[in-house]
């Protein structure tokens, strides 16, 4: 059980779920893990299958099940918190509306797709006196949290440079950013925001109180375009004569998994209105977006991008996001300090001390209940919900590691980095972060 989960004899925190897709289902599954701590009492989603599935999972009364969030918001407040898990471009309005109704808000990342909307959400929560937790789940990963503790304890002295890599994974990128929901900026947002606001947030977090003063960024859409389409390839993988030679084949990514009995992500995503089996997945690949050739999609988001940052005091940071990797989001970090070097490979932390020339390894204890299904992001999904529920139950916003002000600053830094890429220049952050 999480370290914040002691709640005594208090009543369970009541939550409503706005958006019953993958993230809404994962966050709300905390109630199945700890029914004494959380009760899901309402849901809104335009998709009948998704909202009915969540209703049945949590035994939600019919009167609290809605096709749209507006109808749910019109009801008199009947829960303590709202989990906002709508698509990226549909975050701002429900977040503001439920905050104004007095609901504490857990908002899936990114906060919103414009700096103005992000600011409006923070202002609404602040003015309404409600807590805001943004779904930067990596803040709650035991390894990431330990890195921050070690830095704050001064084990490598003053932080001089941060090097951070996010390998998205070749089939993950094809699934989410070529064929999927985040492939097109006009329909979702740019890749740095949709995928890597986690990472810019971590760099900002590790930099501590130092403000970013300037940023530069480069990136492009690579490989996934008509110019790279192999000769003889079809428009759909099911009808492609050379599908067997393509690592991005939808048959390999989805059908082969179902044949092996795997019905979770990413297979579950392509059948939003039914349980994924051979028949439904085959139909989805025949008629839906996930069966398209990766070289004939309407994707326009970067497949690789670098961001360079300079913070006050001379601290520099370099971030790389790349689609073309074996590992799936298994981030690599090296932080160079005046007295030592810290590195993390996603599994353990190594600290090399310059004075003693000795290496110390750290592998934090992880108390995530692994026998439950909520192990996304290495258990960080569980810990994020554990912290949010505890914050609401105890009226203690200090338990939230991804609160409004700092998260807004890291989001603004993401927008500045993308502006640098689009304008091909160094962006001076000016007064960003100063009141």
């Amino acid at each position: 059980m999480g370290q914040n989960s002691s709640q005594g004899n208090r009543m369970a925190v009541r939550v409503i779920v706005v958006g019953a897709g993958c993230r809404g289902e994962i966050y709300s599954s905390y109630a199945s893990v700890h029914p004494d701590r959380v009760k899901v009492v309402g849901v809104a989603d335009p998709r009948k299958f998704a909202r009915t599935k969540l209703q049945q999972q949590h035994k939600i009364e019919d009167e609290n099940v809605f096709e749209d969030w507006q109808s749910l918001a019109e009801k008199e407040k009947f829960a303590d918190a709202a989990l906002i898990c709508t698509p990226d471009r549909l975050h701002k309005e429900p977040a503001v509306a439920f905050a104004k109704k007095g609901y504490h808000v857990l908002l899936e990342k990114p906060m919103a797709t414009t700096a103005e909307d992000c600011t409006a959400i923070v202002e609404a929560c602040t003015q309404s006196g409600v807590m805001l937790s943004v779904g930067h789940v990596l803040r709650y990963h035991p390894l990431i949290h330990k890195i921050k503790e070690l830095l704050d304890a001064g084990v490598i002295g003053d932080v001089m440079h941060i090097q951070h890599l996010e390998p998205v994974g070749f089939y993950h990128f094809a699934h989410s950013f070529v064929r999927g929901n985040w492939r097109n900026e006009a329909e979702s947002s740019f890749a740095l925001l949709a995928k890597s606001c986690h990472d810019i947030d971590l760099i900002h977090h590790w930099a501590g109180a130092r403000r970013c003063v300037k940023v530069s960024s480069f990136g492009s859409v690579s490989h996934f375009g008509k110019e790279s389409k192999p000769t003889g390839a079809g428009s759909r993988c099911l009808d492609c004569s050379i599908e067997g030679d393509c690592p991005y084949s939808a048959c390999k990514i989805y059908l082969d998994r179902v044949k092996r009995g795997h019905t979770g992500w990413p297979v579950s995503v392509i059948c939003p209105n039914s349980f994924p089996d051979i028949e439904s997945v085959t139909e989805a690949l025949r008629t839906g977006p996930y069966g398209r050739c990766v070289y004939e999609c309407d994707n326009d988001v970067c497949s690789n991008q670098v961001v360079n940052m300079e913070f006050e005091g001379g601290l520099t940071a370099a971030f790389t996001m790349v689609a073309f990797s074996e590992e799936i989001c298994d981030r690599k970090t090296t932080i160079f300090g005046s007295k030592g070097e810290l590195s993390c490979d996603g599994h353990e932390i190594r600290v090399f001390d310059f004075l003693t020339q000795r290496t110390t390894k750290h592998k934090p204890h992880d108390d995530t209940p692994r026998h439950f299904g909520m192990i996304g992001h290495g258990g960080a999904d569980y810990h994020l919900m554990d912290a949010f529920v505890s914050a609401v139950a105890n009226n203690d916003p200090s338990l939230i590691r991804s609160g409004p002000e700092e998260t807004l600053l890291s989001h603004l830094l993401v927008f500045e980095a993308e502006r640098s890429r689009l304008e091909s220049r160094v962006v001076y952050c000016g007064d960003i972060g100063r009141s």
Side-chain angles (χ1 to χ4, degrees):
M1 185 174 291
Q3 62 180 350
N4 299 320
S5 58
S6 176
Q7 197 176 340
N9 295 318
R10 294 186 180 92
M11 292 180 60
V13 171
R14 297 162 301 159
V15 303
I16 55 176
V17 180
V18 182
C22 181
R23 301 308 298 167
E25 185 175 0
I26 288 173
Y27 289 146
S28 62
S29 69
Y30 185 91
S32 300
V33 180
H34 295 298
D36 58 321
R37 302 198 66 222
V38 180
K39 182 171 177 57
V40 180
V41 296
V43 62
D45 194 293
R47 299 163 299 177
K48 183 178 180 180
F49 181 81
R51 68 174 181 270
T52 301
K53 181 181 178 184
L54 199 126
Q55 178 186 15
Q56 293 172 346
Q57 286 174 338
H58 300 285
K59 298 179 174 60
I60 301 171
E61 296 178 4
D62 289 342
E63 64 185 33
N64 293 332
V65 177
F66 296 92
E67 294 183 17
D68 58 83
W69 66 263
Q70 292 90 342
S71 299
L72 183 55
E74 287 172 1
K75 285 199 66 167
E76 185 176 345
K77 182 175 179 285
F78 65 101
D80 304 297
L83 313 182
I84 310 295
C85 304
T86 49
D88 296 354
R89 288 192 170 272
L90 303 177
H91 280 184
K92 182 219 172 178
E93 290 190 2
V96 169
F98 285 101
K100 289 182 176 179
K101 292 278 289 190
Y103 289 88
H104 299 294
V105 175
L106 189 153
L107 176 63
E108 175 56 2
K109 65 84 188 170
M111 295 174 69
T113 56
T114 68
E116 293 76 16
D117 284 354
C118 291
T119 302
I121 290 169
V122 170
E123 289 177 348
C125 291
T126 302
Q127 292 170 4
S128 300
V130 300
M131 286 180 270
L132 171 64
S133 175
V134 177
H136 280 312
V137 294
L138 295 181
R139 287 280 198 105
Y140 300 83
H141 192 291
L143 276 172
I144 299 296
H145 188 52
K146 186 64 176 179
I147 290 175
K148 180 62 172 172
E149 287 184 344
L150 291 169
L151 294 179
D152 289 347
V155 296
I156 62 169
D158 295 330
V159 176
M160 299 298 183
H161 180 70
I162 300 170
Q163 193 171 55
H164 186 64
L165 165 70
E166 182 184 14
V168 181
F170 72 100
Y171 77 81
H172 181 193
F173 194 89
H175 166 73
S176 296
F177 298 93
V178 179
R179 296 179 171 116
N181 293 338
W182 294 274
R183 70 190 183 278
N184 187 280
E185 185 174 340
E187 294 185 17
S188 57
S189 59
F190 52 96
L192 191 67
L193 182 67
K195 187 72 186 80
S196 302
C197 64
H198 276 310
D199 303 282
I200 301 301
D201 178 71
L202 289 180
I203 291 171
H204 187 267
H205 184 51
W206 291 328
R210 281 169 284 192
R211 181 177 65 90
C212 184
V213 293
K214 54 186 173 181
V215 59
S216 66
S217 182
F218 308 92
S220 61
V221 183
S222 303
H223 187 67
F224 297 111
K226 288 187 170 108
E227 67 282 356
S228 300
K229 184 175 179 177
T231 302
S235 295
R236 286 190 171 270
C237 297
L238 288 176
D239 306 317
C240 181
S241 61
I242 62 171
E243 170 272 325
D245 296 325
C246 179
Y248 304 103
S249 161
C251 300
K252 294 183 177 68
I253 295 173
Y254 307 110
L255 270 179
D256 287 0
R257 279 180 166 77
V258 173
K259 292 174 182 177
R260 297 195 300 267
H262 179 92
T263 57
W265 185 93
V267 175
S268 59
V269 175
I270 74 170
C271 300
N273 299 313
S274 64
F275 181 80
D277 55 23
I278 294 292
E279 290 75 21
S280 62
V281 169
T282 301
E283 180 62 21
L285 298 189
R286 182 177 292 114
T287 61
Y290 292 95
R292 295 179 295 172
C293 173
V294 290
Y295 304 106
E296 282 195 8
C297 294
D298 58 341
N299 57 299
D300 63 3
V301 298
C302 288
S303 52
N304 49 287
Q305 188 164 354
V306 295
V307 181
N308 296 312
M309 292 154 274
E310 182 177 326
F311 291 80
E312 290 174 326
L315 164 63
T316 54
F319 168 66
T320 299
M321 179 275 289
V322 62
F324 309 99
S325 63
E326 174 187 359
E327 294 188 328
I328 308 295
C329 303
D330 206 355
R331 290 155 168 93
K332 314 293 182 188
T333 305
T334 304
I335 303 178
F336 304 87
S338 58
K339 295 182 179 179
E341 177 181 317
L342 180 153
S343 60
C344 181
D345 63 359
H347 304 285
E348 69 174 9
I349 301 166
R350 297 175 70 257
V351 175
F352 179 78
D353 186 283
F354 294 162
L355 180 61
T356 64
Q357 297 191 29
R358 292 179 180 174
T359 297
T360 305
K361 296 181 179 180
H362 301 266
K363 196 163 186 179
H365 172 66
D366 183 3
D367 55 3
T368 307
R370 297 277 173 185
H371 54 294
F372 292 105
M374 196 177 175
I375 58 172
H377 295 98
D381 290 341
Y382 172 86
H383 292 294
L384 179 145
M385 275 299 296
D386 191 62
F388 179 68
V389 169
S390 296
V392 174
N394 298 292
N395 194 28
D396 184 0
S398 70
L399 298 175
I400 296 173
R401 298 177 193 165
S402 51
E405 291 82 9
E406 188 179 1
T407 307
L408 176 60
L409 291 181
S410 71
H411 270 65
L412 294 177
L413 183 51
V414 174
F415 289 113
E416 296 282 39
E418 184 66 0
R419 184 154 66 97
S420 167
R421 185 186 74 86
L422 293 173
E423 298 178 3
S424 298
R425 68 180 181 88
V426 173
V427 168
Y428 290 81
C429 299
D431 290 329
I432 182 173
R434 289 177 174 168
S435 58

